[in-house]
Amino acid sequence: MLNFNTFKQKSPQQRFLFILGLVMFAMYLVLGVALIFWKDIPFDIKPTYRILFGLLLIVYAGIRFYRLINQKDN
């Protein structure tokens, strides 16, 4: 699980990459939720494919978050 003591001991580069990973997780999650709930999307896509793509993005965001939290220090 997430250990905040090891986060404090990381180098500035590792901390930056961790924060960047969190930002990318949030972007994929928000994009997936927006695709599912945004009815007047600016491009033409069938609702079924829009929901499936949104779910795929949310699952991918979850995988990224899991890998980010469970990464081992080198």
Side-chain angles (χ1 to χ4, degrees):
M1 195 72 197
L2 183 60
N3 188 356
F4 289 107
N5 290 330
T6 60
F7 182 71
K8 291 178 184 177
Q9 297 171 357
K10 289 184 177 182
S11 69
Q13 179 184 8
Q14 288 175 325
R15 275 186 265 168
F16 172 74
L17 291 175
F18 181 78
I19 299 299
L20 184 64
L22 286 177
V23 168
M24 292 305 297
F25 157 73
M27 286 178 56
Y28 281 119
L29 185 67
V30 168
L31 183 60
V33 170
L35 276 174
I36 291 173
F37 292 110
W38 191 10
K39 299 296 181 202
D40 298 328
I41 201 159
F43 49 89
D44 188 30
I45 187 170
K46 292 181 182 179
T48 305
Y49 294 133
R50 182 174 47 95
I51 292 171
L52 286 175
F53 187 56
L55 288 174
L56 181 69
L57 285 173
I58 292 171
V59 168
Y60 181 66
I63 292 170
R64 284 185 66 104
F65 185 72
Y66 177 76
R67 290 183 65 200
L68 181 69
I69 296 301
N70 289 325
Q71 69 185 7
K72 304 290 184 224
D73 290 333
N74 292 334

